[in-house]
């Protein structure tokens, strides 16, 4: 099918985003503590930067792990309840992690104050890191929702492409038996009249239908192949109508690299024959002009007093197939003398 703009952007690594966020906060916290404690020595800032990065990284892993476990174990719960439980558990784990970090790493290495809940320094320290914990949890939760939304959008896009392919196959399968039915109807009117002409008709019909079978799985075919098929199809029409119907082709050389949906030209020619009267004195003249990225199929209008019953397969089928293949539109112009259809040609690699 034709290339379209992807709906889903390339995924950004959540680990990379989280590390960037931790890095920013890790730079701010040492400066904040240095300002409060009036300690601007390089050693103090370096130690605080190292410890802050370690604490926030571990807290981020705690948040990520609990969010992941909650998604597995509490998928049945309402989102508000799941978030409430996550926050409670994360704050509990983060508090005791910070206490353990002070007692096991910070105090032995730097001689800092013990983890005393009655101490203002401890409460300030814990309070600021629990605030950072809430921020990290909110950030990771938002990131989790973003990736879930991406996955759902990707699934929806995949289903949309599959549905479009199914619809396209349905439209193509609608055309093939219709062509065979019309051709056999013509043959049935010839077989008892002219056996030799019937034999020629069958030979050309076999060539035409072989093309249909060869292209049954193709969404697009080269313009030159479609024109070759049209020549075989038009031969079948002339066996039936003689010089009452005429075909003129003006194909520019630069159009050879373009394609279009199979049987497009055949359906347009058939549509012209079905809806117009014709005679040797006033033939139906169908012209096909291709230049650049557009093909124009035009015929003179001479309406039948009573048109053949429409099967709904024709111009509408072409428009629907184009809508599934490309954004380019099939357009129709009509006045009192002419009926003209503009067919976009699709550039293929």
């Amino acid at each position: 099918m034709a290339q379209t703009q992807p709906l889903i952007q390339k995924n950004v690594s959540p680990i990379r985003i989280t590390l960037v966020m931790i890095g920013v906060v890790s730079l701010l916290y040492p400066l904040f503590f240095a300002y409060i404690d009036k300690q601007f020595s390089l050693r103090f800032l370096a130690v605080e930067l190292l410890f802050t990065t370690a604490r926030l990284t571990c807290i981020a892993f705690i948040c990520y792990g609990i969010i992941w476990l909650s998604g597995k174990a509490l998928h049945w719960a309402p989102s508000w309840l799941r978030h409430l439980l996550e926050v409670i558990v994360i704050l509990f784990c983060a508090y005791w992690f910070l206490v353990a970090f002070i007692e096991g790493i910070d105090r032995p290495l730097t001689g800092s104050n013990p983890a005393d809940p009655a101490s203002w320094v401890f409460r300030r320290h814990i309070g600021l890191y629990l605030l950072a914990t809430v921020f990290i949890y909110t950030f990771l939760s938002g990131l989790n929702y973003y990736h879930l939304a991406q996955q759902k959008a990707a699934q929806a896009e995949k289903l949309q492409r599959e549905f479009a392919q199914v619809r396209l196959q349905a439209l193509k399968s609608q055309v093939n038996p219709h062509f065979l039915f019309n051709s056999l109807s013509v043959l049935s009117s010839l077989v008892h009249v002219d056996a030799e002409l019937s034999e020629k008709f069958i030979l050309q019909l076999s060539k035409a239908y072989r093309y249909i079978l060869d292209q049954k799985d193709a969404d697009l075919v080269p313009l030159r192949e479609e024109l070759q098929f049209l020549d075989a199809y038009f031969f079948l029409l002339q066996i039936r109508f003689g010089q009452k119907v005429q075909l003129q082709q003006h194909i520019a050389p630069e159009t050879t690299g373009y394609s279009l949906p199979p049987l497009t030209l055949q359906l347009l020619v058939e549509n012209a024959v079905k809806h117009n009267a014709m005679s040797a004195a006033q033939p139906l003249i169908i012209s096909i002009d291709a230049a650049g990225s557009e093909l124009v199929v035009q015929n003179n209008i001479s309406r039948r007093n009573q048109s053949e019953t429409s099967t709904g397969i024709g111009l509408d089928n072409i428009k629907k197939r184009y809508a599934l293949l490309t954004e380019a539109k099939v357009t129709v112009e009509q006045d009192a003398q002419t009926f003209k259809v503009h067919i976009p040609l699709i550039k293929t690699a």
Side-chain angles (χ1 to χ4, degrees):
M1 295 180 66
Q3 294 294 320
T4 57
Q5 282 293 99
L7 298 177
I8 306 304
Q9 301 298 321
K10 184 178 179 181
N11 288 341
V12 180
S13 170
I15 296 177
R16 183 179 299 176
I17 296 177
T18 305
L19 290 176
V20 170
M21 181 269 297
I22 290 174
V24 172
V25 178
S26 297
L27 288 173
L28 295 176
Y29 264 42
L31 294 174
F32 183 69
F33 285 130
Y35 175 77
I36 293 176
D37 296 333
K38 307 301 181 184
Q39 296 188 38
F40 295 100
S41 67
L42 185 60
R43 180 179 181 277
F44 176 85
L45 290 173
V47 170
E48 280 299 322
L49 177 61
L50 178 62
F51 284 1
T52 300
T53 303
R55 293 180 191 118
L56 293 180
T57 301
C58 291
I59 288 173
F61 276 109
I62 290 171
C63 291
Y64 181 83
I66 290 174
I67 291 172
W68 183 82
L69 288 173
S70 173
K72 296 292 184 181
L74 299 176
H75 58 87
W76 50 268
S79 59
W80 66 267
L81 178 59
R82 191 167 65 249
H83 288 311
L84 178 62
L85 293 174
E86 286 173 355
V87 170
I88 292 172
V89 175
I90 286 172
L91 289 177
F92 176 82
C93 293
Y95 174 85
W96 287 109
F97 162 74
L98 292 168
V99 170
F101 193 95
I102 292 172
E103 293 293 343
I105 298 176
D106 197 346
R107 191 177 179 196
L109 294 179
T110 65
S112 64
N113 296 322
D116 181 9
S119 167
W120 158 248
V121 174
F122 173 78
R123 292 201 301 268
R124 181 196 68 187
H125 178 89
I126 291 295
L128 287 172
Y129 274 100
L130 290 182
L131 181 63
T133 300
V134 173
F135 174 75
I136 292 172
Y137 167 74
T138 304
F139 177 84
L140 289 177
S141 293
L143 198 60
N144 186 50
Y145 273 114
Y146 169 74
H147 282 286
L148 287 175
Q150 271 199 324
Q151 290 174 4
K152 289 181 180 179
Q155 291 172 355
E157 184 184 22
K158 181 182 177 182
L159 290 174
Q160 185 179 19
R161 288 197 303 267
E162 291 176 351
F163 177 66
Q165 190 65 36
V166 169
R167 286 182 59 196
L168 184 60
Q169 290 296 337
L171 289 168
K172 287 159 61 179
S173 65
Q174 189 182 47
V175 172
N176 296 351
H178 175 69
F179 169 79
L180 182 60
F181 173 79
N182 281 0
S183 300
L184 291 177
S185 296
V186 174
L187 180 60
S188 66
S189 66
L190 289 176
V191 69
H192 298 296
V193 177
D194 191 328
E196 185 178 350
L197 193 58
S198 298
E199 184 178 350
K200 293 179 180 179
F201 186 93
I202 292 171
L203 179 63
Q204 292 300 320
L205 176 60
S206 66
K207 292 180 180 179
Y209 207 73
R210 185 180 300 115
Y211 170 83
I212 294 177
L213 293 177
D214 289 342
Q215 304 300 337
K216 65 183 178 65
D217 295 322
D219 296 334
L220 297 170
V221 295
L223 175 60
R224 63 180 180 277
E225 293 183 14
E226 184 75 359
L227 290 170
Q228 291 171 1
F229 164 69
L230 182 64
D231 290 339
Y233 173 72
F234 194 74
F235 177 86
L236 303 181
L237 287 180
Q238 285 203 310
I239 288 179
R240 179 181 178 186
F241 297 109
Q243 293 303 311
K244 295 178 183 179
V245 59
Q246 299 175 18
L247 180 65
Q248 301 173 354
Q249 298 184 29
H250 308 282
I251 309 300
E254 65 267 18
T255 61
T256 55
Y258 287 89
S259 299
L260 72 169
L263 305 185
T264 296
L265 298 181
Q266 181 264 327
L267 285 174
L268 291 175
V269 170
E270 181 185 49
N271 194 62
V273 171
K274 182 171 63 176
H275 292 291
N276 291 281
M278 65 190 80
S279 65
Q282 293 183 320
L284 174 65
I285 301 175
I286 304 169
S287 66
I288 299 176
D289 299 273
S293 61
E294 185 180 72
L295 184 144
V296 179
V297 180
Q298 176 179 306
N299 63 271
N300 56 307
I301 294 178
S302 178
R303 294 297 187 194
R304 294 175 182 267
N305 294 331
Q306 184 175 3
S307 297
E308 294 182 23
T309 303
S310 176
T311 61
I313 304 170
L315 190 56
D316 185 55
N317 181 285
I318 295 171
K319 288 181 177 180
K320 288 178 179 178
R321 283 195 287 162
Y322 262 93
L324 294 172
L325 290 169
T326 177
E327 295 180 358
K329 303 293 184 183
V330 174
T331 58
V332 177
E333 294 181 23
Q334 182 176 356
D335 55 33
Q337 287 78 37
T338 59
F339 183 85
K340 187 183 297 185
V341 181
H342 295 262
I343 299 294
L345 295 175
I346 300 171
K347 189 69 174 178
T348 53

